[in-house]
Amino acid sequence: GNSVTQMEGPVTLSEEAFLTINCTYTATGYPSLFWYVQYPGEGLQLLLKATKADDKGSNKGFEATYRKETTSFHLEKGSVQVSDSAVYFCALGSTDKLIFGTGTRLQVFP
Amino acid sequence: DTEVTQTPKHLVMGMTNKKSLKCEQHMGHRAMYWYKQKAKKPPELMFVYSYEKLSINESVPSRFSPECPNSSLLNLHLHALQPEDSALYLCASSQFPGFGNGELFFGEGSRLTVL
């Protein structure tokens, strides 16, 4: 069946550091891939998405590329800010399911 | 308006109470969802309504009863809950049913505590 594996957190960084959060998936067919972000005390927001292989999703300085050959969708940002502190969920979408990874907590310190 | 509004934000109830969670969206979305999220865990799908009809029930206990009165509203009726049902309940909507290409818009959630 389909599944998503995310790196364990928390990830702790200083402001302006480079961020990578790893996400790999197993899937049959051609799913879409998503990164959602959950700020403290809030619901989830879609951060970016990619619907087919080699697509790059980007938003707010974050990027992720749908890599079929490595079944990965790693999230990257060149320079994080304190305001990026949140929990990040990788997710895989097929017709009848949206499967979330376990989430990775990012803490950014000034 | 790109919001999904959930009320109440916080709810404390006893095991014999009956209460309801409410969710509203005015984006014209035709699919609405209830998710349950425990602390430090990802959201778990409970129910999906497609075009106001229940299309997915993820084997949720009958003490949770969803209702979709119209295309903008989604309720979750709660009765005889257990302490382990304490969680953040998230409502979401999408333009069309299906998780393949669509974006889910989430509300901020209703934090439920069962005593």
Side-chain angles (χ1 to χ4, degrees):
Chain A
N2 295 350
S3 67
V4 175
T5 302
Q6 263 182 263
M7 62 186 289
E8 295 249 354
V11 173
T12 304
L13 295 173
S14 298
E15 209 165 22
E16 299 183 3
F18 185 85
L19 169 71
T20 301
I21 300 178
N22 290 339
C23 172
T24 57
Y25 67 92
T26 57
T28 54
Y30 303 96
S32 295
L33 298 172
F34 306 87
W35 278 100
Y36 279 84
V37 58
Q38 187 172 29
Y39 297 102
E42 297 186 12
L44 280 71
Q45 303 173 25
L46 180 69
L47 182 59
L48 52 85
K49 71 176 184 181
T51 58
K52 62 183 187 299
D54 299 325
D55 267 4
K56 178 188 278 189
S58 61
N59 185 25
K60 300 182 181 179
F62 291 90
E63 291 182 342
T65 301
Y66 189 159
R67 301 224 183 267
K68 199 162 184 288
E69 63 277 12
T70 54
T71 62
S72 65
F73 193 55
H74 304 322
L75 182 69
E76 296 182 336
K77 186 175 185 182
S79 176
V80 293
Q81 305 299 311
V82 172
S83 56
D84 294 326
S85 298
V87 180
Y88 292 81
F89 292 96
C90 184
L92 182 155
S94 58
T95 303
D96 62 345
K97 284 273 189 192
L98 183 65
I99 298 171
F100 288 97
T102 51
T104 302
R105 180 173 300 277
L106 170 65
Q107 297 174 315
V108 181
F109 293 96
Chain B
D1 184 358
T2 57
E3 278 192 347
V4 174
T5 304
Q6 289 188 243
T7 55
K9 291 198 185 314
H10 299 275
L11 178 63
V12 179
M13 60 187 290
M15 288 190 284
T16 58
N17 292 157
K18 282 186 183 180
K19 297 285 185 184
S20 296
L21 306 180
K22 297 185 183 303
C23 175
E24 192 168 1
Q25 57 88 12
H26 294 290
M27 296 177 279
H29 288 179
R30 302 316 304 270
M32 296 185 76
Y33 312 79
W34 280 115
Y35 281 84
K36 173 182 177 180
Q37 187 179 25
K38 300 283 273 184
K40 301 187 179 182
K41 298 288 187 185
E44 299 173 8
L45 183 64
M46 301 174 71
F47 302 104
V48 180
Y49 273 82
S50 301
Y51 299 98
E52 301 163 50
K53 294 198 184 314
L54 183 65
S55 60
I56 296 178
N57 175 344
E58 290 286 326
S59 303
V60 178
S62 60
R63 57 186 184 268
F64 295 92
S65 175
E67 178 197 19
C68 188
N70 60 54
S71 60
S72 300
L73 294 174
L74 186 66
N75 298 322
L76 186 64
H77 302 299
L78 314 170
H79 175 53
L81 295 192
Q82 304 297 310
E84 59 265 28
D85 296 322
S86 298
L88 182 68
Y89 288 85
L90 293 165
C91 175
S93 69
S94 64
Q95 187 175 12
F96 299 110
F99 299 98
N101 292 318
E103 171 183 354
L104 263 61
F105 290 77
F106 282 85
E108 293 191 349
S110 293
R111 187 163 298 283
L112 172 67
T113 303
V114 182
L115 301 176

